Amino acid sequence: MATALAESAGAQGLSSPNPPVGAVVLDAEGRIAGAGHTREPGGPHAEIVALAQAGPAAAGGTAVVTLEPCNHTGRTGPCSRALIDAGIAAVHYAIADPNPQAAGGAETLRAAGVAVTGGVLADEVSRGPLRPWLFRQQHGRPLITLKLAAAADGRIAAPDGTSRWITGPAAREHAHAQRARIDAIVVGTGTALADDPALTARRADGGDHPHQPARVVLGHREVPAGARLRGPGGPLIDVRSHDPHAVLAALPDALWVLVEGGPTVAGAFLAAGLVDHVQLYQAPVLLGGGAAAVDDASVTTLAQATRMRREAVTELGDDLLIDFAIERG
């Protein structure tokens, strides 16, 4: 299952709005014969990719999948039937499919005489690449991460407005790798006009990642014709509003959205209750002045502050990446 979980990372961003699933097929002797992840919508699911790699070795073997095999026919056929037809003898999955349209694969497999086990490493898998899809199934909207890159005193720019680069190369490389896994990245027109960002997902060698997120600009001002946002990269989506809910309306199929705008956009999403996860890239720098990371006019007293729960701390060179989950009553 750990191998299947690692495989599923390759589907994140690529498979949306379908779940990013990983699968491994073992032969009858317990040796890995195939592994894969879900492809783009309309392409094969993870089980089909793994079965194709395994070929005849799948007969009498075992399939290990991060999500219960689907049981419906859409743009592709049901994976439960493909596993049965391949002669798989046992299936182990982590998470039961919460989508009633696709659920029922476990029952179909059992009815065909396949041994089925659910819940394998379920907690670990639910915190992995499936997390945004599971969130959308429960809440009907994408998981929204607020990204902050700040000095140790919470400033995102010096008093003269300079901000490149507060964090170091390891933190920037990590941030670009994450862009390659999300569906959309959001900034305000202030950031778009002041910084002229490309908002692309780039590798350390300067090349582009295969998957590029949609680039969303929130606000009423026009993105200039020669802006980098109009160049190569994901599609540009102009949302002529200051309401974060309008961003969600413009992204009906997104699973994971990254808010990377300035303090005003960050504050707007927080005030709207539309931040679920915060990633703080913190640099060992003290600026002493300049813009703060968040401008939320709705908070006037400590009792109104947004409370968070720390999930993880990662060292990235001299910087720290701190992951927080928003705590809601």
Side-chain angles (χ1 to χ4, degrees):
M1 186 62 76
T3 302
L5 177 57
E7 277 286 340
S8 70
Q12 205 160 28
L14 175 70
S15 68
S16 295
N18 296 329
V21 177
V24 174
V25 170
L26 310 173
D27 65 18
E29 303 301 321
R31 296 170 300 215
I32 292 179
H37 58 73
T38 302
R39 305 301 181 180
E40 65 282 345
H45 291 187
E47 298 94 322
I48 307 305
V49 175
L51 286 171
Q53 284 189 14
T62 298
V64 180
V65 194
T66 57
L67 184 68
E68 177 187 5
C70 68
N71 200 47
H72 80 297
T73 299
R75 283 178 284 191
T76 60
C79 291
S80 56
R81 175 50 55 187
L83 292 165
I84 293 166
D85 291 344
I88 289 290
V91 173
H92 307 289
Y93 65 88
I95 306 292
D97 196 326
N99 181 356
Q101 184 181 5
E107 288 81 358
T108 296
L109 289 162
R110 289 192 183 99
V114 178
V116 180
T117 303
V120 180
L121 291 187
D123 288 345
E124 185 174 349
V125 171
S126 69
R127 294 191 298 268
L130 272 175
R131 180 180 182 180
W133 183 82
L134 292 169
F135 183 95
R136 184 168 190 103
Q137 295 302 304
Q138 182 178 359
H139 299 281
R141 66 167 177 83
L143 178 75
I144 300 177
T145 292
L146 172 61
K147 176 205 164 186
L148 304 172
D153 54 4
R155 305 291 181 174
I156 62 170
D160 67 354
T162 55
S163 60
R164 295 186 179 182
W165 296 101
I166 291 176
T167 55
R172 296 196 296 274
E173 183 177 347
H174 183 278
H176 276 277
Q178 174 158 284
R179 285 182 182 180
R181 301 193 301 270
I182 63 171
D183 298 300
I185 184 169
V186 182
V187 298
T189 52
T191 295
L193 295 173
D195 296 346
D196 190 24
L199 300 184
T200 54
R202 298 183 296 279
R203 300 191 302 264
D205 63 7
D208 290 336
H209 283 281
H211 170 72
Q212 295 292 322
R215 299 171 291 182
V216 181
V217 179
L218 180 65
H220 293 291
R221 288 179 286 178
E222 182 75 26
V223 176
R228 296 172 70 200
L229 283 170
R230 295 195 181 278
L236 173 62
I237 301 175
D238 269 317
V239 177
R240 297 302 179 91
S241 172
H242 290 139
D243 182 359
H245 290 91
V247 171
L248 302 190
L251 299 169
D253 294 325
L255 302 182
W256 190 8
V257 173
L258 183 69
V259 176
E260 200 175 297
T264 301
V265 170
F269 272 84
L270 285 165
L274 290 177
V275 175
D276 311 296
H277 175 230
V278 174
Q279 286 194 316
L280 171 61
Y281 294 85
Q282 189 174 63
V285 176
L286 294 172
L287 293 176
V294 175
D295 182 5
D296 184 357
S298 70
V299 177
T300 59
T301 180
L302 185 61
Q304 297 173 318
T306 300
R307 298 290 179 178
M308 304 185 294
R309 181 183 71 257
R310 188 181 70 245
E311 293 187 319
V313 179
T314 306
E315 291 187 10
L316 297 170
D318 291 331
D319 303 320
L320 292 179
L321 169 60
I322 311 174
D323 285 90
F324 297 98
I326 299 292
E327 291 190 337
R328 294 191 172 95

